[in-house]
Amino acid sequence: MKKKRARRGCGLFLVPFIGFTLLASFLLYRFGERWLRTFLIYLSHAQWARDLVSDLSLAKRVARRFVAGETIEEAMAATRALNARGMLVTLDYLGESVTDEAVAASARDEILQLLDRIEISGLDANVSIKLSQLGLRIRKETALENLRQLLTKAQENGNKIRIDMEESELVDVTLDIYHTLKDEYGFDNVGVVIQSYLYRSEKDVEKLIDEGAWVRLCKGAYAEPPDIAFPEKADTDANYVLLTEMMLSKEARNNGVYLGIATHDEEIIQAAINFANASKIPPETYEFQMLYGIRRDLQAWLVERGYKLRIYVPYGTAWYPYFVRRLAERPANLWFFVSNLIRR
Ligand SMILES: Cc1cc2nc3c(=O)[nH]c(=O)nc-3n(C[C@H](O)[C@H](O)[C@H](O)COP(=O)(O)OP(=O)(O)OC[C@H]3O[C@@H](n4cnc5c(N)ncnc54)[C@H](O)[C@@H]3O)c2cc1C
């Protein structure tokens, strides 16, 4: 009887999903991948969709392909396994767009605990954070103070924290907070992220090169308008190659720039390797970075050839927006997700 009721409950959840699949198929057929991506990015912010999906145990199971688990223990276990395979890690306690000071403070406390767990375990991992998780959308000062406390703890433990880059409206304030922490508070264990889809990034990179910054370069995961970001993927990719070469240049390295090349794009990875080889840049002076669960074959390929690789390992219960952005990056993931739900 109970089983029957549970199945009926699950059936109710399937109705919106089938509608969603039909709508996604229509968008893909009628307008192409860009529209589907924009729609998915919208869903990643939509509270109704989050409420619908977050409690589905099946959705949780599918999300586990990209997320290490919900607890610190699971994140530590994933880190241990990756370290054992010769991969470095950056841990991300999932959460973003927080609108409550108490929630931001509790994220800070979890990350303080995470920094200590890394220290005690002796695992090779640093930490990535999002400023909107630490209260940026409430008050700039809240996020700044929370990150200051995290950097102080990381410094005591000889560890580092990288600030993820979020939507374009947050880029100025993110770089501002980064510079305040570095220049006014004197932290040398803080890094930042640059997105190659933004027109402004070349200028930002020039400044970061002057400062000898610790930078991760990625393509960018949000839906941005064409007056701010390259609408064509080919231009984003070309800019990625340009920014990589700028940050691997002799001038950049002499200034102390350390680059994390964060992509699963084989051609870009090969272009970076070719450029580094041609310029005789030792492989230990930069690193590749990839997301947990994505292109494991390519991850192994890099490590086997002696390249440094860091895996971005997210964990926590707030996996929904992160997961939907991963679906947006590759429609095939979406069909995998929906077919798993329907197969049940
Ligand atoms: C370590 C790391 C940190 C990041 N931090 C940020 C950040 O702070 N801010 C931000 O905006 N973005 C961040 N991103 C996401 C990034 O901007 C891209 O959205 C994402 O990496 C996909 O782009 P790509 O470079 O892999 O190239 P793409 O051209 O999108 O993909 C190249 C190939 O990689 C594979 N691939 C890519 N994505 C997926 C996927 N989701 N599932 C399965 N296969 C896939 C496919 O084989 C695809 O053909 C980060 C990415 C990485 C790797």
Side-chain angles (χ1 to χ4, degrees), residues 165 195 216 219-221 233 263-264 326 329-330 333:
M165 194 55 84
Q195 299 154 321
R216 171 197 302 149
K219 290 189 186 176
K233 184 176 170 343
T263 181
H264 316 89
R326 302 295 78 83
E329 280 156 5
R330 198 161 171 260
N333 290 343

Side-chain angles (χ1 to χ4, degrees), residues 27-293:
L27 284 170
L28 189 62
Y29 170 75
R30 181 78 180 78
F31 301 110
E33 222 172 285
R34 201 180 309 151
W35 281 80
L36 180 58
R37 185 178 144 89
T38 308
F39 175 60
L40 284 167
I41 300 283
Y42 154 74
L43 283 186
S44 74
H45 297 296
Q47 192 57 45
W48 64 267
R50 186 188 196 128
D51 293 344
L52 190 70
V53 174
S54 294
D55 287 336
L56 274 180
S57 62
L58 260 170
K60 269 187 204 170
R61 229 185 300 144
V62 180
R64 279 298 289 262
R65 180 176 158 192
F66 304 113
V67 174
E70 296 198 341
T71 63
I72 283 197
E73 280 68 33
E74 288 168 305
M76 290 286 124
T79 303
R80 195 165 294 112
L82 290 164
N83 280 179
R85 283 159 43 208
M87 299 171 191
L88 309 166
V89 165
T90 186
L91 281 158
D92 168 47
Y93 175 57
L94 289 162
E96 54 196 84
S97 298
V98 164
T99 52
D100 180 335
E101 298 257 356
V103 177
S106 114
R108 177 205 60 213
D109 292 346
E110 165 82 19
I111 302 166
L112 284 170
Q113 207 191 327
L114 175 65
L115 284 160
D116 275 343
R117 289 293 298 272
I118 296 171
E119 173 67 5
I120 293 162
S121 65
L123 292 172
D124 203 333
N126 61 36
V127 168
S128 292
I129 58 94
K130 284 188 175 51
L131 286 175
S132 76
Q133 178 183 34
L134 297 178
L136 185 59
R137 290 198 185 273
I138 308 165
R139 271 181 341 122
K140 179 182 172 184
E141 293 70 23
T142 303
L144 177 67
E145 174 52 23
N146 283 333
L147 183 51
R148 190 194 63 74
Q149 291 184 35
L150 293 176
L151 284 165
T152 305
K153 166 65 76 183
Q155 202 169 45
E156 284 165 18
N157 295 357
N159 209 337
K160 289 179 161 189
I161 296 179
R162 174 130 36 198
I163 311 171
D164 284 353
M165 194 55 84
E166 303 179 65
E167 291 93 336
S168 58
E169 81 233 31
L170 298 182
V171 173
D172 273 326
V173 65
T174 298
L175 291 173
D176 239 40
I177 289 179
Y178 162 77
H179 281 116
T180 304
L181 289 162
K182 212 165 178 281
D183 306 336
E184 287 177 33
Y185 290 83
F187 286 106
D188 61 1
N189 59 338
V190 59
V192 77
V193 176
I194 291 290
Q195 299 154 321
S196 74
Y197 65 12
L198 296 182
Y199 301 134
R200 60 174 288 166
S201 289
E202 189 174 343
K203 281 261 166 318
D204 290 332
V205 162
E206 281 168 8
K207 187 157 188 276
L208 291 167
I209 288 177
D210 286 344
E211 298 163 2
W214 180 48
V215 185
R216 171 197 302 149
L217 179 62
C218 67
K219 290 189 186 176
Y222 301 87
E224 300 294 354
D227 56 322
I228 288 177
F230 295 107
E232 298 302 328
K233 184 176 170 343
D235 294 323
T236 297
D237 291 355
N239 200 37
Y240 196 106
V241 173
L242 171 78
L243 301 179
T244 301
E245 294 183 359
M246 284 169 70
M247 286 189 276
L248 287 180
S249 68
K250 196 163 180 203
E251 182 204 350
R253 283 177 293 120
N254 285 345
N255 288 354
V257 170
Y258 181 81
L259 178 62
I261 304 167
T263 181
H264 316 89
D265 187 322
E266 282 181 52
E267 280 182 29
I268 287 183
I269 290 171
Q270 193 55 59
I273 291 173
N274 294 346
F275 180 81
N277 287 345
S279 316
K280 300 200 167 33
I281 302 169
E284 62 277 9
T285 59
Y286 61 95
E287 67 186 37
F288 291 102
Q289 297 185 356
M290 292 192 203
L291 300 175
Y292 181 79

